[in-house]
Amino acid sequence: MSGCYSKAQGGGCGACVVLLSKYNPVLDQVDDFTVSSCLTLLCSINGCSITTIEGLGNTKDGFHPIHERFFGFHASQCGFCTPGMCMSLFSALVNAEKTPRLTPPSGFSKLEVSEVERAIVGNLGRCTGYRPIADVCKSFAADIDMEDLGFNSFWRKGDSKEVKINSLPFYNHSNEICTFPEFLKKEARSTMLLDSRRYSWYSPVSIEELQRLLGFVEDGNGSRVKVVVGNTGMSYYKELESFDKYIDLRCIPELSMIRRDDTGMIIGATVTISKAIEALREGNIVWKKNSNHMEKVASGFVRNSASLGGNLVMAQRNHFLYDIATVFLAVGSLVNLMYGLKSEEITMEEFLRRPELDLKSILVSVKIPDWDRIMSISSGTKMKLLFETYRAAPRPLGNALPYLNAALMAKISRCASSNGMVVSDCRFAFGAYGTKHAIRATKVEEFLTGKVLSVDVLNEAVKLLRSIVVPDDDTSYPAYRSSLTVGFLFEFFSHLVEGNAESPNGYVNGYSTLMSPARHLDHVGEPIAKSGAVIQASGEAVYVDDIPSPTNFLHGAFIFSTKPLARVKGIKLKPKSVADGVNAVISFKDIPGENLGIKTGFGPEPFICR
């Protein structure tokens, strides 16, 4: 197969993206999602179906409408990134048809424009430019305005909407490719674990079995063993040597469950980041904002394989710089660890501070508290919850390591003796700014707790934060990262220290929550008319030439040499030859400072000749 390219070999480009389909016999459904083939271990796809770009269509069997629209919209130049983008778009189309949305118009999918534009986030391309690629994606959206699509070879300028729609290569979701053959479903219903003696691939089905395997490893003969879930950590931490044995954790129920109760949500360590995002999105405002932030971690085809626990273990063991540990730290998450027969639940802060986990230590699950319930207990005091996450990175939609990430939470209430807001409790977490792991700014939290927010109080908090969040000496852009911490804290509280200290109103499950900590700016992202355009069009604009000259106004003019290509050796003035109306002649002697017009590679040039 020639369509699956290996470019970054780290899941960062999307050139090797394929569609992985996995059958769930309990729910009798097929899960389709993209993965980076360069990171996916062969034994990990046992019982799965893989669809590559060749499976969508070819010159022999005919092309898929995705292929034809990439061609017609001039969305491929060198073509190296194109197959991966086609597979990402195909995955979005397949999953959209599983949703209970209304049937779209003929030739279109159930996707919306905002969704299809995000379908290729993480697929990097350099030579084509993203406008024609985005046009390909949007052409499948049910709510597309055909006038928004750019230059293409399907229709001519001036054609009607009907002509344009009929000119597009027809997409029929009913004739879509089968991603999981029926014969594989029969095999998936039976146990399909690999023979560990043949493949050196172990898939324990219980924690007890996992502990026995890890015990054998500890007492082994020096063989190299790797514990895996999605293997996406290899994208950042390259492995130059192979392993003798692999232990796959995905078949252990306790590590792969998602459970919600009155106290919070418990997510197993092997749950993928994508599944965790889906679960959190269905919860309260704090969980939703966490899920929105987690969507900026890596790219979709990496999150589909990467496990939540693996990301946290890398943050604890390898001082990984991504965001999940930071946002979970701010919301008071708890980590469930197991050492042999001993199990304990500790805070995220303690988990990050501990020595590096050894191979026999198991991260079982993470618990995110239910802030709906926590705030409902204190609703009688009219307490309000303020929560926001922040991230600064080279690419705002994700798939890039951050310069800084932060998650800020505060409980506030109105002061009884003034019009200000009192901070009752707060949690500030900062990460990826040049230290080993995310931290809580406890001194700033203690300083603000119990205080009425004001400009002076906020300024003191900013000064204190500067002294706490200090990047290490070898960190790039240290001043920029420090300024970001200050900016995030100021943005978080600034709307509460203005004149009337009014806060926006919003209610979630019975208690009031500040939904948007930053003041909404209507002009951001919107077209703005030029303020002077109206008076320019009406002829009322006043230019310099329209301004009347004041009394005794003087004009200046340069004196040019009368000989072309000549070198000026000197200037002599003859007073009697000065024309009428000339008030004075200014030479280089009258210029204060240096007589410098411009500096070039050939040397300095004087403003006025000597």
Side-chain angles (χ1 to χ4, degrees), residues 97-116:
E97 296 307 320
K98 300 177 183 179
T99 61
R101 298 177 181 176
L102 296 176
T103 302
S106 178
F108 295 91
S109 73
K110 291 184 179 180
L111 287 170
E112 297 178 353
V113 170
S114 59
E115 294 174 318
V116 292

Side-chain angles (χ1 to χ4, degrees), residues 193-210:
L193 298 180
L194 294 174
D195 184 355
S196 58
R197 291 172 296 180
R198 180 182 178 186
Y199 297 101
S200 297
W201 183 272
Y202 299 83
S203 301
V205 295
S206 66
I207 291 182
E208 292 75 19
E209 185 180 352
L210 172 61

Side-chain angles (χ1 to χ4, degrees), residues 463-478:
K463 293 178 183 178
L464 187 58
L465 182 62
R466 278 187 179 275
S467 65
I468 296 172
V469 181
V470 180
D472 292 341
D473 294 336
D474 58 345
T475 304
S476 61
Y477 312 111

